[in-house]
Amino acid sequence: MIDLSNVSKWYGKFKVLDQCTARIEKGEVVVVCGPSGSGKSTLIKCVNGLESFQQGSIVVDDVSVGVAGKNLPTLRARVGMVFQNFELFPHLSITENLSIAQIKVLGRGKEEAVDCGLKYLDRVGLRTQADKYPGQLSGGQQQRVAIARALAMNPVCMLFDEPTSALDPEMVNEVLDVMVELAQDGMTMICVTHEMGFARKVANRVIFMDGGTIIEDCGKDAFFGDISARPKRTQTFLSKILAH
């Protein structure tokens, strides 16, 4: 479903991604973790063309990302993205937030787009909030709306960029519960997160990054198993994050 081969990226002279290679099969859930500034978010933003890259290749469902002339809105419609800060339009109602991209990018009629949006709003447990505006919802509710909006585009895979890091602690689980359901339904997912409980519950694999490099790419049982068998940098990270 997603094939990254030797992906490298620079900001000026600073190399933010260094020869990153990974393959995500259809239906796999892959958690990407690592310290701040390790290139995690940049990597997944390259997957749907939000960030450019200078070397290597990325192929999503047989579509090559980064090729000149590629229709990026169409590509992004196939690769759902959920951001840290929701990115909802504050001046539009929840129903309008759910339908606008379907109308403008997919060419759906308004009635079809609204029906589809409300179906996914119901799926995330927020059907009764359809006529409200983002500012009237909690952070957790806004993030669930953002997930519904991405799903309404019928994506082939979903990318999550630290979707719970901007939420109050009591709101985190309501978003993670939706993500767990998606994983159990077979959605292909890449999740940048520090929620190790989520990783242990639903991830097939864990990718650990540091300094723009993929240090480890292994099954979750291996990653969370014998920590002493992990590379030194992974050991240091796990010893800190699992202590909380």
Side-chain angles (χ1 to χ4, degrees), residues 33 196 200 206 208 216 222-227 230-244:
C33 61
M196 293 297 102
R200 281 176 153 156
V206 177
F208 175 70
E216 279 208 88
F223 189 79
F224 292 114
D226 183 0
I227 294 179
R230 310 264 56 83
K232 194 67 177 177
R233 186 63 188 90
T234 309
Q235 289 183 39
T236 302
F237 176 80
L238 285 173
S239 67
K240 292 178 179 178
I241 202 165
L242 296 180
H244 298 285

Side-chain angles (χ1 to χ4, degrees), residues 33-48:
C33 61
S36 297
S38 59
K40 309 180 300 293
S41 294
T42 302
L43 185 67
I44 68 165
K45 286 177 181 177
C46 286
V47 172
N48 71 342

Side-chain angles (χ1 to χ4, degrees), residues 84-109:
Q84 182 175 337
N85 294 312
F86 326 135
E87 305 295 344
L88 300 175
F89 295 111
H91 64 291
L92 299 180
S93 70
I94 300 306
T95 297
E96 291 168 330
N97 266 283
L98 292 167
S99 58
I100 187 170
Q102 297 181 63
I103 295 168
K104 292 187 175 294
V105 178
L106 300 183
R108 289 175 179 164

Side-chain angles (χ1 to χ4, degrees), residues 4 37 70 72 79 87 94 112 129 150 152 170 173 176-177 184 192 196 201 215 227 235 237:
L4 300 95
K70 191 61 65 178
L72 285 179
V79 183
E87 305 295 344
I94 300 306
E112 180 187 6
Q129 310 299 319
E170 65 268 23
N173 282 341
L176 291 179
D177 286 345
Q184 292 172 341
V192 172
M196 293 297 102
K201 188 170 185 177
I215 305 296
I227 294 179
Q235 289 183 39
F237 176 80

Side-chain angles (χ1 to χ4, degrees), residues 39-243:
K40 309 180 300 293
S41 294
T42 302
L43 185 67
I44 68 165
K45 286 177 181 177
C46 286
V47 172
N48 71 342
L50 283 174
E51 291 273 8
S52 61
F53 54 96
Q54 285 77 45
Q55 287 183 358
S57 66
I58 299 176
V59 178
V60 180
D61 197 29
D62 296 325
V63 176
S64 182
V65 183
V67 175
K70 191 61 65 178
N71 188 328
L72 285 179
T74 301
L75 171 69
R76 289 171 188 150
R78 295 170 58 79
V79 183
M81 184 93 184
V82 177
F83 299 91
Q84 182 175 337
N85 294 312
F86 326 135
E87 305 295 344
L88 300 175
F89 295 111
H91 64 291
L92 299 180
S93 70
I94 300 306
T95 297
E96 291 168 330
N97 266 283
L98 292 167
S99 58
I100 187 170
Q102 297 181 63
I103 295 168
K104 292 187 175 294
V105 178
L106 300 183
R108 289 175 179 164
K110 183 176 180 180
E111 183 176 350
E112 180 187 6
V114 169
D115 286 346
C116 182
L118 292 179
K119 178 181 75 172
Y120 286 106
L121 191 64
D122 187 49
R123 179 171 179 176
V124 300
L126 292 174
R127 179 64 179 81
T128 58
Q129 310 299 319
D131 296 328
K132 292 185 178 180
Y133 287 80
Q136 296 175 284
L137 304 184
S138 69
Q141 289 174 323
Q142 289 186 63
Q143 193 61 292
R144 285 151 64 193
V145 170
I147 293 173
R149 176 182 60 184
L151 291 173
M153 302 294 284
N154 300 124
V156 295
C157 59
M158 290 280 287
L159 310 177
F160 294 86
D161 185 14
E162 302 196 36
T164 60
S165 63
L167 301 178
D168 291 334
E170 65 268 23
M171 298 177 185
V172 168
N173 282 341
E174 65 185 69
V175 173
L176 291 179
D177 286 345
V178 172
M179 294 171 64
V180 168
E181 287 182 14
L182 287 177
Q184 292 172 341
D185 287 346
M187 174 64 74
T188 306
M189 298 164 60
I190 304 179
C191 310
V192 172
T193 182
H194 291 306
E195 298 290 343
M196 293 297 102
F198 171 79
R200 281 176 153 156
K201 188 170 185 177
V202 300
N204 300 106
R205 299 196 343 258
V206 177
I207 290 174
F208 175 70
M209 294 185 67
D210 187 36
T213 301
I214 293 177
I215 305 296
E216 279 208 88
D217 180 353
C218 61
K220 68 173 178 183
D221 291 338
F223 189 79
F224 292 114
D226 183 0
I227 294 179
S228 65
R230 310 264 56 83
K232 194 67 177 177
R233 186 63 188 90
T234 309
Q235 289 183 39
T236 302
F237 176 80
L238 285 173
S239 67
K240 292 178 179 178
I241 202 165
L242 296 180

